[in-house]
Amino acid sequence: MFGKKKTDTFVCDERLDHVAVIMDGNGRWAQKRGLPRTAGHKAGADAVEEILKVFREIGVHTVTLYAFSTENWKRPREEVDAIMSLLSLYLENHVKPKMEEDDGFCLRFLGDLSKLPADLSAKCREIESLKKDRPFLVQVALNYGGRDEILRAVNSLLAGGVKTVDGDTFSQYLDTGGVRDPDLLIRTGGDMRLSNFLLWQSAYTEFYFTDTLFPDFGRADVLDAVRDFYKRKRRFGGLNKEEKP
Ligand code: IPE
Ligand code: IPE
Ligand code: MG
């Protein structure tokens, strides 16, 4: 059963601590309206705040958003530049002021920030350092690829002279080190693939795919995904109590 009822919404329990979101479909959203793809990215950025609000309200503690992949550099230069400027503006004009007025959340960036425009990576680091260890953590994956993350972890272990490593230690070397694996991963936009997102961390994550394009993904869609999650039986390779002989 999906948690306890709280006014008009629900409260999650310990089964749903971390949700990851592949925010896909911005370009198609714009094209359907005869707008440039960049208008879709702007609309996508506008949709983020509402979904974070809902996750926080229902008691999720960590949300990880896929904003730009290591493969997204293959897009036309103008689109990449527009996404980078949009991110920069969004961090400056929305995220920073919000952090000043609201003590309850903090941000962390996943991915190789060294390849981003210098002003953007500096802004990311500044925002990360503003607040730490707040009850609601938002992780933003930027120039992130699961394979790249794994290779960076391996290379950093090798550089430290390590010869063998166990799973728990390895997890600590990933960008997500210290954070529990996602319980639920939502992908908007209709495609059913990971596109190089959280490859190691999603070993036992529940997947939820929806055709809704990200700019249209709102409160009701979040609650649908969460309700669906609470119908799943997670086994982690074992058996649940009622399945035991
Ligand atoms: C996701 O939307 C945002 C990024 C990858 C930056 P898309 O831009 O991939 O939108 P579609 O999938 O082409 O509609
Ligand atoms: C995944 O979407 C990356 C982000 C949402 C940031 P893509 O649009 O890049 O994925 P593919 O190319 O359709 O697999
Ligand atoms: Mg896409």
Side-chain angles (χ1 to χ4, degrees):
M1 284 281 96
F2 179 7
K4 289 169 273 158
K5 207 162 182 346
K6 176 196 164 204
T7 58
D8 65 330
T9 178
F10 296 96
V11 185
C12 294
D13 55 21
E14 69 294 339
R15 283 173 288 179
L16 188 58
D17 184 82
H18 180 182
V19 181
V21 187
I22 302 180
M23 309 184 290
D24 196 24
N26 292 348
R28 280 165 285 164
W29 183 93
Q31 280 167 336
K32 260 174 54 181
R33 288 164 176 75
L35 298 167
R37 292 177 55 83
T38 49
H41 297 310
K42 168 86 181 53
D46 292 341
V48 170
E49 204 170 337
E50 172 73 0
I51 68 161
L52 290 179
K53 196 167 141 211
V54 182
F55 282 125
R56 193 167 158 187
E57 227 173 79
I58 63 176
V60 167
H61 293 117
T62 305
V63 177
T64 302
L65 304 170
Y66 204 6
F68 193 86
S69 76
T70 44
E71 287 72 34
N72 286 147
W73 299 105
K74 294 178 193 163
R75 300 205 177 181
R77 175 79 195 269
E78 305 74 57
E79 181 171 346
V80 170
D81 287 350
I83 293 172
M84 295 300 152
S85 324
L86 192 65
L87 280 164
S88 218
L89 280 173
Y90 191 77
L91 293 178
E92 189 62 36
N93 299 335
H94 287 267
V95 178
K96 265 172 71 176
K98 182 99 180 106
M99 289 190 102
E100 273 151 31
E101 77 190 39
D102 178 350
D103 257 357
F105 76 103
C106 57
L107 249 83
R108 180 193 204 186
F109 292 89
L110 314 178
D112 182 359
L113 300 192
S114 70
K115 311 247 162 64
L116 296 175
D119 60 327
L120 178 56
S121 56
K123 205 161 285 177
C124 295
R125 292 300 177 219
E126 184 199 341
I127 284 173
E128 271 182 337
S129 66
L130 286 179
K131 278 176 194 144
K132 286 188 177 132
D133 302 325
R134 302 290 156 165
F136 186 62
L137 169 67
V138 181
Q139 302 189 112
V140 181
L142 251 183
N143 188 30
Y144 174 90
R147 289 184 173 183
D148 178 68
E149 178 192 38
I150 290 168
L151 287 172
R152 282 186 287 109
V154 168
N155 284 319
S156 124
L157 281 156
L158 291 174
V162 170
K163 296 236 162 42
T164 59
V165 66
D166 60 44
D168 286 345
T169 309
F170 186 70
S171 295
Q172 293 306 315
Y173 278 76
L174 296 172
D175 298 342
T176 49
V179 165
R180 154 172 160 174
D181 288 341
D183 301 294
L184 169 65
L185 183 145
I186 299 170
R187 181 172 184 143
T188 63
D191 287 312
M192 292 186 230
R193 55 178 171 255
L194 277 178
S195 302
N196 205 5
F197 195 38
L198 302 176
L199 299 182
W200 170 276
Q201 299 88 336
S202 62
Y204 273 103
T205 298
E206 296 296 326
F207 293 160
Y208 180 86
F209 298 104
T210 170
D211 288 337
T212 304
L213 304 171
F214 187 70
D216 293 327
F217 191 74
R219 170 177 291 266
D221 306 284
V222 168
L223 295 176
D224 283 348
V226 170
R227 257 184 230 108
D228 197 78
F229 171 84
Y230 272 94
K231 289 189 205 135
R232 312 275 180 98
K233 281 196 167 53
R234 302 184 78 186
R235 297 188 192 84
F236 301 97
L239 295 176
N240 287 324
K241 250 188 246 139
E242 70 276 15
E243 295 164 327
K244 285 185 183 149

